[in-house]
Amino acid sequence: MKEVLTNPTSGYYMNRDVFGQTGDFITSPEISQMFGELIAVWLVNEWTKCGRPTPFQIAELGPGRGTLMADMLRVFSKFKIAGSDFSVSLVEVSPYLCQVQEKQLCPSQAQEATEVPQGSQHYKQSISLYGSQIRWYNHISDLPRTFTLFLAHEFFDALPIHKLVKVNQGWREVLIDLNRENLNLRYVISRDRTPACLYSLDSEKREELEVSPQSLVITQMMAARIHQDGGIGLVIDYGHEGDKTDTFRGFKNHKLHDPLVDPGTADLTADVDFAALKWAATQPRTFEDWEANLTYGTVDQKDFLTRVGINLRLEQLLASCRNVNVARNLKSAHKMLTDPMEMGSKFKFLALYPSVMKKILERYPPPGFV
Ligand code: SAH
């Protein structure tokens, strides 16, 4: 998965725009501005609950075309949260998508990327349309140490998984092999235990499952930052609570695609195991003075968006809309985002808070989650 998606020269994400009608899949922020606007309002609300600490950064993992961030920055500017208060940090491995994000977020000639000082942790920097600093990073561990609003939308599902299966002799790993007769790729079960089989599965009820160590490491890093420097995390993805077994699949031209056929030409994805992410986010062994972070959710996308006011936002947009086609598109986008048969219940929201927020959250729980 890692090679196919992010190999520097031929990785699926590395040199093309894969989103939207002409790409392979479409994501919620690309469907409607309402999505990013509501998330921004939620983040401003929760940042306010934390006492509006400044300076702070919004750190987005895997920003795609930068559409979600563009919608959010517009909302931040309406709340008069100025560029001097916060900076934008984007964690992106794809040089191509980094350019697309730059065009979207820093469109004016005058705001062209400036040279990155030697020894910096980031690989690119620029100034957004609304005056805030934007910096691009390769990895979450490179981000500056400050209060951070973390956002990961359809990021974790792109991280590599191991597939494990229970056979008579115990747990084995499903590997990918080359069939020498026809040169096709095929799944095989490892003869012996592989390192992934050392994953602790003593109380596991499933006979088959997927684990993503990289997702757990990144979640722990996010949790550590939230604990040590203050912050909030919002993770949105399709996923489950540790009960699904076989979700690895490919998408090409908006249709399911066999991941073993023409690797590199289709998106590869696996549902996010949110139970595992919650475990990683609250693991006491990470820190010496630990009191576990707090997690909220998961809740379904339809519940989150409805509770934070998507119906009201739709009404507002329709009230100021003079074009019949635009109005029709707004209504169909609302349905696509919230209908349980579409994205409404496949997508889940998970929030992370530091333990110091416990008392405040007992009184004022996070909107969207209750
Ligand atoms: N959040 C966007 C895009 C989702 S696609 C949206 O919802 O529209 C996944 C994104 O994560 C892409 O930007 C891809 O280039 C990036 N990505 C994938 N693997 C990554 C990794 N290991 N580190 C950083 N970014 C990664």
Side-chain angles (χ1 to χ4, degrees):
M1 249 178 125
K2 183 177 173 212
E3 278 305 307
V4 167
L5 295 181
T6 58
N7 176 288
T9 50
S10 55
Y12 172 78
Y13 282 118
M14 302 308 265
N15 45 29
R16 73 187 101 169
D17 188 352
V18 297
F19 308 99
Q21 300 299 343
T22 54
D24 293 315
F25 61 100
I26 187 147
T27 62
S28 295
E30 301 293 334
I31 290 171
S32 170
Q33 66 182 80
M34 293 185 280
F35 188 79
E37 289 172 346
L38 291 168
I39 287 175
V41 173
W42 188 89
L43 286 173
V44 171
N45 193 64
E46 298 311 280
W47 169 70
T48 302
K49 243 186 234 173
C50 297
R52 297 173 81 92
T54 54
F56 70 103
Q57 65 183 330
I58 314 177
E60 187 179 359
L61 312 182
R65 279 180 176 166
T67 310
L68 177 56
M69 190 54 76
D71 289 334
M72 295 206 323
L73 291 184
R74 195 175 58 253
V75 173
F76 271 66
S77 78
K78 302 264 183 221
F79 279 102
K80 307 261 182 303
I81 302 167
S84 55
D85 293 340
F86 76 102
S87 55
V88 177
S89 301
L90 303 176
V91 178
E92 176 57 75
V93 281
S94 161
Y96 181 84
L97 287 174
C98 167
Q99 275 178 24
V100 175
Q101 291 151 17
E102 189 191 350
K103 271 198 202 121
Q104 168 100 263
L105 298 166
C106 324
S108 131
Q109 284 292 349
Q111 288 158 348
E112 248 180 32
T114 47
E115 206 156 301
V116 175
Q118 268 203 336
S120 306
Q121 299 288 354
H122 55 284
Y123 63 84
K124 188 174 197 148
Q125 68 185 53
S126 190
I127 305 282
S128 87
L129 198 56
Y130 304 101
S132 46
Q133 274 285 344
I134 305 194
R135 298 185 187 90
W136 280 264
Y137 298 83
N138 273 314
H139 198 264
I140 186 170
S141 57
D142 299 332
L143 294 174
R145 303 285 307 261
T146 181
F147 187 97
T148 305
L149 301 175
F150 285 99
L151 187 60
H153 182 259
E154 287 219 39
F155 169 74
F156 284 102
D157 74 279
L159 298 184
I161 52 150
H162 293 270
K163 286 176 77 71
L164 300 174
V165 59
K166 205 174 193 175
V167 295
N168 287 341
Q169 304 90 318
W171 287 97
R172 292 291 181 270
E173 184 169 4
V174 177
L175 301 172
I176 294 168
D177 176 47
L178 184 69
N179 181 341
R180 285 174 203 280
E181 277 156 32
N182 55 16
L183 297 185
N184 286 339
L185 296 172
R186 62 179 175 189
Y187 294 110
V188 291
I189 295 177
S190 66
R191 203 173 303 136
D192 299 310
R193 294 205 306 162
T194 61
C197 302
L198 298 177
Y199 201 78
S200 172
L201 295 166
D202 294 345
S203 55
E204 182 57 58
K205 301 268 182 306
R206 288 169 290 177
E207 302 276 300
E208 186 186 348
L209 73 151
E210 295 158 342
V211 293
S212 174
Q214 201 185 334
S215 299
L216 303 184
V217 169
I218 292 177
T219 305
Q220 270 201 343
M221 285 180 178
M222 176 161 55
R225 292 297 186 92
I226 288 174
H227 173 71
Q228 291 163 344
D229 303 332
I232 296 169
L234 189 62
V235 177
I236 310 160
D237 228 305
Y238 38 74
H240 57 93
E241 290 281 352
D243 48 5
K244 285 210 183 161
T245 55
D246 178 20
T247 71
F248 177 53
R249 58 203 183 279
F251 276 103
K252 190 171 180 174
N253 298 326
H254 300 265
K255 290 202 185 83
L256 274 173
H257 178 86
D258 182 344
L260 301 192
V261 173
D262 298 331
T265 63
D267 184 33
L268 296 185
T269 171
D271 280 13
V272 173
D273 181 347
F274 280 104
L277 295 198
K278 281 188 256 185
W279 174 84
T282 52
Q283 258 308 289
R285 265 172 293 161
T286 330
F287 320 111
E288 42 325 319
D289 60 335
W290 174 264
E291 199 187 331
N293 279 336
L294 309 167
T295 66
Y296 283 81
T298 58
V299 292
D300 290 356
Q301 172 156 307
K302 70 170 184 332
D303 295 326
F304 182 91
L305 292 179
T306 313
R307 288 171 186 155
V308 300
I310 194 168
N311 296 344
L312 185 63
R313 185 65 186 132
L314 176 68
E315 271 174 39
Q316 282 177 339
L317 289 169
L318 288 175
S320 58
C321 174
R322 304 271 164 271
N323 181 313
V324 197
N325 286 336
V326 175
R328 198 174 35 230
N329 287 345
L330 276 169
K331 284 186 208 155
S332 95
H334 174 276
K335 180 167 184 296
M336 199 148 166
L337 292 176
T338 56
D339 189 331
M341 301 305 286
E342 306 213 36
M343 295 166 117
S345 46
K346 273 193 210 108
F347 280 80
K348 317 277 181 205
F349 282 58
L350 169 71
L352 307 182
Y353 290 84
S355 55
V356 290
M357 289 293 291
K358 194 168 177 182
K359 287 244 147 55
I360 294 176
L361 291 167
E362 273 165 14
R363 236 175 124 198
Y364 305 105
F369 287 88
V370 283

